[in-house]
Amino acid sequence: MVYDSDKQSEFNYFPMSSIADGIGEQITADVYGLTTQIANVYFVRCQNKPDQYVLIDTGMPKSDKVILQFANKWFDGPPFAIILTHGHFDHVGAISALLEKWHIPVYAHTLEMPYLNGSEDYDKPDPSVGGGLVSTLSPSFPNHGIDIKNSLHALPTDGTIPGLQGWRWIHTPGHTKGHISLFRDSDKTLLAGDAFVTVKQESLFDVLIQKQEISGPPKYFTTDWKVAKDSVIKLASLKPSVAATGHGNPMSGDNLEEGLMKLVKYFNEIALPKQGRYLQ
């Protein structure tokens, strides 16, 4: 079953919001972040055209109004494009509503295309991974794909990102098959999506208060743990100076470096669920 992301906005899959909901902040000179309930979206200014920007992900259902509010606050007009780290419901929640107002291209990895063009659904979330109430609630989260094929394009195979000179996309699968992260080598800024996050996403309490700690990808939606670990190792090897993730607050400096080193060293203890249907 493939659903229209407009229809999903009729339902409230996550009835509570974190303390960061609706708060936007400038992360670097040209990267801005906005929290939509429990998921983050990012606005990245185009280096060669500073009056333009690219939107990374589209947040939770019903978040189109707050995204438009901050787009108008920080920029003038629609983005050059939308880049999707992946297509889970909390990262594409506002995309149909936004595309009704913005006639712009959407880019994603080729392996993510089936979930974005109406062909396939994601595997169902797994509440048995434990870790907190969000995991327990996860069976109510939609795993259906969406159909935005009229706006959808594959990311360039050379790793470049349309509109974002100096940035490159990195394939970081595990959470989903076509998950990507974005990295800028000049200042080592990382937009990691859900390859790893900076809050224990399984815990409702931690999510609501945004307790900061580096954690692996959200357990209940991650289906390939071997490659998820490889993706974390790949991103840690970049030695990012700043990391902004799909969930949680941005991290930088020693806290980020030490947290990533710990996650790599103790991935099985920190990130890997003790049980679950997707463990191999």
Side-chain angles (χ1 to χ4, degrees), residues 37-108:
Q37 283 192 271
I38 60 165
N40 301 323
V41 303
Y42 295 98
F43 303 71
V44 184
R45 191 180 300 277
C46 300
Q47 183 177 353
N48 56 337
K49 293 183 178 180
D51 59 330
Q52 293 186 349
Y53 67 103
V54 168
L55 181 68
I56 313 301
D57 291 338
T58 66
M60 291 285 283
K62 299 184 179 180
S63 61
D64 52 297
K65 290 182 180 178
V66 70
I67 291 172
L68 288 167
Q69 175 190 339
F70 277 88
N72 292 331
K73 175 181 178 180
W74 288 329
F75 300 94
D76 183 18
F80 174 82
I82 294 171
I83 310 295
L84 295 177
T85 61
H86 61 300
H88 281 156
F89 82 102
D90 50 344
H91 293 259
V92 300
I95 198 162
S96 290
L98 291 174
L99 289 176
E100 285 185 359
K101 300 178 183 298
W102 297 339
H103 302 291
I104 57 172
V106 178
Y107 292 90

Side-chain angles (χ1 to χ4, degrees), residues 16-260:
M16 291 169 280
S17 299
S18 76
I19 60 172
D21 180 35
I23 295 177
E25 64 175 330
Q26 187 170 359
I27 299 168
T28 71
D30 52 6
V31 177
Y32 303 78
L34 169 66
T35 301
T36 65
Q37 283 192 271
I38 60 165
N40 301 323
V41 303
Y42 295 98
F43 303 71
V44 184
R45 191 180 300 277
C46 300
Q47 183 177 353
N48 56 337
K49 293 183 178 180
D51 59 330
Q52 293 186 349
Y53 67 103
V54 168
L55 181 68
I56 313 301
D57 291 338
T58 66
M60 291 285 283
K62 299 184 179 180
S63 61
D64 52 297
K65 290 182 180 178
V66 70
I67 291 172
L68 288 167
Q69 175 190 339
F70 277 88
N72 292 331
K73 175 181 178 180
W74 288 329
F75 300 94
D76 183 18
F80 174 82
I82 294 171
I83 310 295
L84 295 177
T85 61
H86 61 300
H88 281 156
F89 82 102
D90 50 344
H91 293 259
V92 300
I95 198 162
S96 290
L98 291 174
L99 289 176
E100 285 185 359
K101 300 178 183 298
W102 297 339
H103 302 291
I104 57 172
V106 178
Y107 292 90
H109 193 281
T110 54
L111 293 177
E112 208 70 5
M113 293 291 190
Y115 312 105
L116 302 170
N117 65 14
S119 299
E120 295 184 28
D121 296 334
Y122 287 104
D123 293 320
K124 292 181 179 180
D126 181 9
S128 71
V129 296
L133 188 55
V134 178
S135 293
T136 303
L137 293 170
S138 66
S140 68
F141 301 163
N143 64 300
H144 307 311
I146 62 172
D147 187 356
I148 55 167
K149 60 176 171 286
N150 291 336
S151 302
L152 191 60
H153 302 269
L155 284 161
T157 57
D158 62 1
T160 57
I161 302 173
L164 292 184
Q165 184 179 3
W167 290 80
R168 57 187 170 104
W169 65 264
I170 301 167
H171 188 206
T172 48
H175 188 58
T176 70
K177 294 177 182 178
H179 188 286
I180 65 158
S181 303
L182 293 77
F183 188 68
R184 182 165 56 189
D185 291 274
S186 62
D187 62 355
K188 296 188 176 297
T189 297
L190 173 66
L191 304 180
D194 284 0
F196 68 87
V197 295
T198 59
V199 66
K200 186 180 178 184
Q201 189 61 22
E202 300 77 26
S203 166
L204 179 61
F205 179 76
D206 287 2
V207 167
L208 293 181
I209 68 167
Q210 292 288 280
K211 180 182 178 183
Q212 191 174 63
E213 63 177 294
I214 288 190
S215 186
K219 291 182 174 71
Y220 47 84
F221 254 143
T222 299
T223 54
D224 191 328
W225 285 99
K226 181 182 183 301
V227 295
K229 181 177 182 179
D230 292 340
S231 292
V232 167
I233 293 171
K234 183 188 301 184
L235 293 180
S237 72
L238 299 172
K239 299 187 181 303
S241 61
V242 179
T245 61
H247 304 274
N249 294 316
M251 291 186 72
S252 61
D254 292 342
N255 288 340
L256 174 60
E257 182 180 1
E258 293 168 7
L260 274 178

